[in-house]
Amino acid sequence: MYTVDVIIPTYKPKKELLKILDLLDKQTIVPNRIILMNTEEAYFDQLIYGAELFKYHENCRVYHLSKLEFDHGATRNMGVYYSKADYFIMMTQDATPKDEHLIENLLKPLVSGKAAVSYARQLPREDCNPIERYTRGFNYPDHSFIKHESDVRTLGIKTYFCSDVCAAYDRTIFDKMNGFVKRAIFNEDMLYAAKIAKAGYGIAYCADACVYHSHNYTARQQLHRNFDLGVSQADHPEVFEQVRSEGEGIRMVKSTASYLWNHHYKRWIPCLIIQSGAKFLGYRLGKNYKKLSEAQIFRLTSSPDYWKRKALKRGIQNVDAHRGYGRNHEKEGD
């Protein structure tokens, strides 16, 4: 019988994380370990104070790092290093399993050998606004499918779409492909998906593996996020220069506008226009970040510590990369 671990990067986790841990331990396939890669120990201690986390979740392990040590690719690679399972699932601290079949359904394409990675369907939360609610359905439909490199001709950039909000990985293939890119401001999941697709492996979307996950981002937040998205694409032309992504964004905006108009949400159309403009502006600025000053980049990014780390590596800032690094919660002998 195979084993599976769940790896969750955390930062200032809320009580919802405790609920997620409870739901993971009630799965039809229970994780061997739940590995939390936590940024800044002090915030985590605030969450678990009095919660007796390790009494009720004996399979939970926590590893602490500082903000300057965190990286979307490297931190997740470190989480995989701590795992000894045949498969592992990447999740975020705000992705709540819909039912007890999440892990079971997410692993099916991997166990059968049809795919090297599979990602879950993201359902909108109750407080989700109409724009975000429609976007969830646009990006995460109600039918499953498997994508391959040959699908680039019809799907374009969507061929490589994958989300570490909740995604399962075959550990053997992951190691063979040298894991996630070691330094990533964004898109470590999509970059890995592109790599395995080009190597001949499948990318599975599992509509029956569901998590609740959505955000009501402001236009300013969308600009910052899409700036980082543009940076990630500019830094990896081997993937993104071959397949343009603007067309997919335009298609989604048009489809969303049609939905709002036809479902009595007309008052949300100006908001859609503003948010879409902010997304496009942020994306284009990110794609051209090398033409911007350091001060401009820091005003535009949603990941300032990524740029601080780059400055640290160049030796131009005196920063303490180990601030906040603390004890690890693991049983002796593990």
Side-chain angles (χ1 to χ4, degrees):
M1 182 62 179
Y2 57 81
T3 55
V4 58
D5 287 344
V6 175
I7 301 168
I8 308 176
T10 60
Y11 176 59
K12 293 185 178 181
K14 299 179 181 178
K15 292 295 184 182
E16 180 185 8
L17 178 63
L18 300 178
K19 176 183 177 182
I20 291 171
L21 297 180
D22 288 339
L23 291 171
L24 289 174
D25 279 339
K26 294 176 181 176
Q27 294 287 302
T28 54
I29 297 178
V30 179
N32 183 53
R33 283 188 179 181
I34 300 174
I35 299 169
L36 305 182
M37 299 300 296
N38 179 67
T39 301
E40 298 297 343
E41 182 178 9
Y43 298 125
F44 191 85
D45 286 346
Q46 291 174 18
L47 170 73
I48 66 171
Y49 181 75
E52 297 186 289
L53 175 65
F54 303 103
K55 174 181 178 181
Y56 295 106
H57 301 284
E58 295 183 355
N59 60 345
C60 191
R61 303 291 184 271
V62 183
Y63 301 90
H64 296 287
L65 59 152
S66 72
K67 286 183 70 176
L68 285 175
E69 289 171 307
F70 175 82
D71 181 272
H72 284 287
T75 298
R76 286 177 168 85
N77 282 335
M78 184 58 66
V80 177
Y81 169 81
Y82 291 129
S83 170
K84 307 303 178 186
D86 303 304
Y87 303 96
F88 62 89
I89 295 174
M90 287 290 167
M91 291 183 67
T92 56
Q93 65 185 39
D94 58 350
T96 306
K98 178 189 176 186
D99 56 37
E100 69 273 20
H101 300 286
L102 171 67
I103 294 178
E104 175 187 350
N105 291 333
L106 202 56
L107 290 180
K108 285 178 181 178
L110 308 188
V111 175
S112 66
K114 295 179 179 179
V117 62
S118 60
Y119 62 102
R121 183 182 184 189
Q122 296 182 30
L123 302 174
R125 297 186 183 277
E126 290 184 1
D127 65 349
C128 192
N129 68 51
I131 296 175
E132 175 71 359
R133 184 173 296 278
Y134 182 79
T135 301
R136 292 296 102 185
F138 185 91
N139 289 326
Y140 303 95
D142 60 3
H143 59 280
S144 301
F145 48 81
I146 298 178
K147 301 175 288 186
H148 296 88
E149 179 66 14
S150 59
D151 291 314
V152 167
R153 294 190 296 270
T154 55
L155 296 178
I157 196 69
K158 292 282 282 187
T159 304
Y160 306 137
F161 183 75
C162 182
S163 177
D164 271 346
V165 164
C166 186
Y169 294 80
D170 183 307
R171 175 62 185 271
T172 301
I173 297 174
F174 185 85
D175 288 344
K176 178 182 176 182
M177 300 302 295
N178 296 316
F180 296 117
V181 61
K182 292 180 176 61
R183 193 174 70 188
I185 189 173
F186 205 70
N187 262 355
E188 83 292 333
D189 40 20
M190 201 165 173
L191 290 169
Y192 179 80
K195 181 165 59 174
I196 64 169
K198 293 177 185 298
Y201 296 104
I203 303 162
Y205 167 63
C206 302
D208 54 356
C210 301
V211 293
Y212 290 105
H213 180 264
S214 58
H215 294 284
N216 294 322
Y217 287 126
T218 65
R220 181 183 292 273
Q221 289 172 319
Q222 296 284 18
L223 185 145
H224 293 317
R225 284 176 54 81
N226 281 269
F227 176 81
D228 291 351
L229 172 63
V231 170
S232 73
Q233 293 197 9
D235 283 348
H236 294 279
E238 74 281 2
V239 174
F240 297 105
E241 278 194 0
Q242 301 174 32
V243 187
R244 291 179 61 84
S245 59
E246 288 92 335
E248 181 64 21
I250 293 171
R251 188 172 77 87
M252 185 174 73
V253 172
K254 290 181 176 179
S255 183
T256 306
S258 177
Y259 166 79
L260 295 173
W261 182 268
N262 294 320
H263 290 80
H264 309 292
Y265 293 120
K266 295 182 178 66
R267 66 186 180 87
W268 283 91
I269 292 178
C271 181
L272 172 67
I273 294 171
I274 294 171
Q275 286 201 2
S276 299
K279 286 181 179 181
F280 183 73
L281 177 61
Y283 170 74
R284 293 306 302 174
L285 288 169
K287 286 278 282 187
N288 294 278
Y289 81 92
K290 293 178 182 178
K291 299 177 182 179
L292 303 177
S293 69
E294 191 171 79
Q296 289 172 320
I297 289 173
F298 272 92
R299 284 197 295 268
L300 289 166
T301 186
S302 63
S303 307
D305 288 300
Y306 172 82
W307 301 98
K308 290 179 183 177
R309 287 195 304 276
K310 291 188 72 171
L312 179 67
K313 288 182 180 296
R314 296 198 302 270
I316 64 174
Q317 283 191 16
N318 182 23
V319 293
D320 180 8
H322 297 282
R323 181 181 60 83
Y325 196 86
R327 65 187 184 278
N328 291 328
H329 294 279
E330 49 181 338
K331 291 184 178 178
E332 191 171 342
D334 278 9

